[in-house]
């Protein structure tokens, strides 16, 4: 399929390696592999930098000098944005949702070190009037003669979604070099852009894989709608892509106590996985998603039937682990 790639900055260390999970593969009786998108950089680590390569290129092309974005207090997306802005000489305004003032730690500490301007809003505002708050920040900047560019939560909009469209093409290139094909690509679903990019590339390029998501903040029905919404925005800048609701495979049941909240079982899984594979998952996204994938493989979920070689994307998030030190 013909498509035109939007302008892109080169910020991430790409391609990220693909490694075999030896002991876990043996345990579940399938070939499990992991793509190390936690290694896209240090300050920039994780999946958000792939999306930011496109979103920030657009911001700069529009002559904007300050980036405004938002997330939870431990947002990986906000930290990656703060790091990228520092590197590019752009201002960074973060609107972080938190009901209490906490000490800088994890991503929030890094946001401070990277020089982002931070304002907190209560969760009620984050849920009910986030778009308004971001516009207020932009208007305030304009009064000071600065030109703001708003990136929505997780950069999961039409432009950010190119990041994982391109990541799927990267995976396809790695398959050719390896002489092997993955039947499925699996990721955590937080704001939907990672999944949408992978699924849209899979459909547009006719790769024939199953793209499987594990929602970590809401149920599958909610995210199916969200992903279809991103598809609409994406088709504005490219040829429309056919992606049916039925092509969207989401594994329900692994949200646990809710977004960014952990259960004892989740943390103990994360610890066992670290000791089995020498890889640290994060408590908010990849820990829940990998636990979901392995549980559903073991329970022989029909959505996963017949998969022989499965690629899990490690989308990063290690800094979110440290503020949870007391829960281990
Ligand atoms: C944001 C994030 C995700 C989820 O990606 P979305 O594109 O928002 O669905 C997964 N893992 C980590 C570590 C993240 O920071």
């Amino acid at each position: 399929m013909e498509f035109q790639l939007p302008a892109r900055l080169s910020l991430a260390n790409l391609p990220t390696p693909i490694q075999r999970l030896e002991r876990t593969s043996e345990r579940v009786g399938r070939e499990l592999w992991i793509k190390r998108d936690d290694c896209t950089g240090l300050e920039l680590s994780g999946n958000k930098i792939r999306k930011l390569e496109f979103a920030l290129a657009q911001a700069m092309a529009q002559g904007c000098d300050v980036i405004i974005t938002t997330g939870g207090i431990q947002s990986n997306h906000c930290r990656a944005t703060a790091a990228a802005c520092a590197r590019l000489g752009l201002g960074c305004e973060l609107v972080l949702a938190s009901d209490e003032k906490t000490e800088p730690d994890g991503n929030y500490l890094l946001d401070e070190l990277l020089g982002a301007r931070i304002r907190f809003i209560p969760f009620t505002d984050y849920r009910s009037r986030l778009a308004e708050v971001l516009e207020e920040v932009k208007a305030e900047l304009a009064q000071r003669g600065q030109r703001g560019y708003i990136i929505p939560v997780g950069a999961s909009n039409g432009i950010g979604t190119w990041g994982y469209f391109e990541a799927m093409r990267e995976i396809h290139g790695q398959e050719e070099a390896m002489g092997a094909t993955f039947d499925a690509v699996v990721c955590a679903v937080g704001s939907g852009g990672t999944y949408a990019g992978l699924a849209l590339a899979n459909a547009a390029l006719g790769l024939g894989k199953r793209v499987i998501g594990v929602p970590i903040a809401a149920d599958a029905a909610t995210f199916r709608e969200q992903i279809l919404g991103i598809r609409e925005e994406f088709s504005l800048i490219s040829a429309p892509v056919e992606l049916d609701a039925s092509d969207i495979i989401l594994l329900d049941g692994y949200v646990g106590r809710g977004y960014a909240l952990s259960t004892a079982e989740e943390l103990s899984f994360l610890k066992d996985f670290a000791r089995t594979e020498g890889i640290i998952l994060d408590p908010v996204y990849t820990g829940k998603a990998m636990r979901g994938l392995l549980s559903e493989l073991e329970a022989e979920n029909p959505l996963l039937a017949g998969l022989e070689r499965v690629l899990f994307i490690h989308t990063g998030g290690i800094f979110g682990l440290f503020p949870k030190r007391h829960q281990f």
Side-chain angles (χ1 to χ4, degrees):
M1 169 182 271
E2 290 292 313
F3 60 89
Q4 201 186 348
L5 206 61
R8 175 185 195 174
L9 300 170
S10 173
L11 298 171
N13 294 322
L14 303 178
T16 54
I18 291 179
Q19 299 164 346
R20 192 180 153 119
L21 296 171
E22 295 291 348
R23 277 159 295 283
T24 308
S25 295
E26 223 165 85
R27 199 186 103 199
V28 297
R30 327 261 183 127
E31 265 188 55
L32 281 184
W33 296 71
I34 192 163
K35 182 163 174 66
R36 301 296 302 272
D37 274 15
D38 54 325
C39 300
T40 45
L42 180 65
E43 297 81 358
L44 301 170
S45 67
N47 60 342
K48 301 308 179 314
I49 192 60
R50 287 189 186 266
K51 307 172 182 195
L52 289 169
E53 287 192 330
F54 289 96
L56 294 175
Q58 186 174 74
M60 291 173 85
Q62 293 176 6
C64 298
D65 47 12
V66 184
I67 305 301
I68 305 160
T69 197
T70 182
I73 188 164
Q74 285 301 329
S75 166
N76 298 306
H77 162 68
C78 288
R79 179 259 308 147
T81 305
C85 285
R87 183 149 147 191
L88 296 167
L90 299 169
C92 181
E93 296 272 341
L94 301 178
V95 176
L96 301 180
S98 180
D99 284 333
E100 50 193 88
K101 184 98 182 85
T102 56
E103 285 205 355
D105 195 354
N107 286 303
Y108 169 32
L109 174 63
L110 300 181
D111 296 340
E112 294 272 15
L113 292 178
L114 291 161
R117 291 196 10 155
I118 298 171
R119 63 189 87 196
F120 287 103
I121 57 169
F123 267 104
T124 48
D125 285 1
Y126 188 74
R127 274 185 229 105
S128 64
R129 54 181 297 273
L130 183 60
E132 249 172 88
V133 173
L134 299 177
E135 287 298 337
E136 283 164 18
V137 176
K138 189 173 167 178
E140 236 176 74
L141 290 170
Q143 282 190 340
R144 286 192 261 132
Q146 292 184 298
R147 191 153 176 187
Y149 178 95
I150 297 175
I151 299 182
V153 178
S156 286
N157 58 358
I159 187 73
T161 294
W162 280 100
Y164 273 84
F165 189 96
E166 281 303 284
M168 189 59 125
R169 295 214 303 152
E170 181 179 305
I171 290 166
H172 189 51
Q174 288 175 304
E175 287 181 327
E176 285 178 349
M178 291 166 69
T181 319
F182 298 105
D183 312 314
V185 176
V186 184
C187 68
V189 180
S191 58
T194 301
Y195 184 95
L198 293 168
L200 288 163
N202 186 50
L205 307 173
L207 300 180
K209 299 182 191 306
R210 265 178 265 179
V211 180
I212 298 166
V214 185
I216 56 79
D219 64 5
T222 307
F223 276 114
R224 186 166 286 110
E225 282 311 303
Q226 194 157 327
I227 290 161
L228 289 170
I230 296 171
R231 177 196 63 175
E232 295 306 312
E233 285 182 39
F234 188 78
S235 56
L236 293 178
I237 54 171
S238 164
V241 179
E242 296 287 331
L243 178 70
D244 291 341
S246 60
D247 295 335
I248 300 175
I249 307 172
L250 298 173
L251 305 178
D252 249 334
Y254 297 94
V255 174
R257 290 170 54 223
Y259 175 70
L261 301 173
S262 299
T263 64
E265 293 74 29
E266 287 166 11
L267 296 181
S268 126
F269 171 80
L270 193 152
K271 191 167 84 181
D272 289 344
F273 190 83
R275 292 168 186 202
T276 309
E277 298 288 353
I279 295 175
I280 310 289
L281 300 170
D282 83 290
V284 182
Y285 299 95
T286 52
K288 290 183 183 186
M290 179 65 87
R291 181 164 173 265
L293 172 64
L294 299 186
S295 305
E296 296 300 308
L297 282 172
E298 283 180 326
E300 298 189 16
N301 182 329
L303 294 171
L304 308 182
L307 296 179
E308 280 175 14
R309 195 174 293 122
V310 175
L311 180 66
F312 180 89
I313 307 205
H314 191 329
T315 39
I318 192 165
F319 300 118
L321 191 59
F322 299 104
K324 289 187 184 274
R325 61 175 66 81
H326 303 297
Q327 294 177 49
F328 280 90

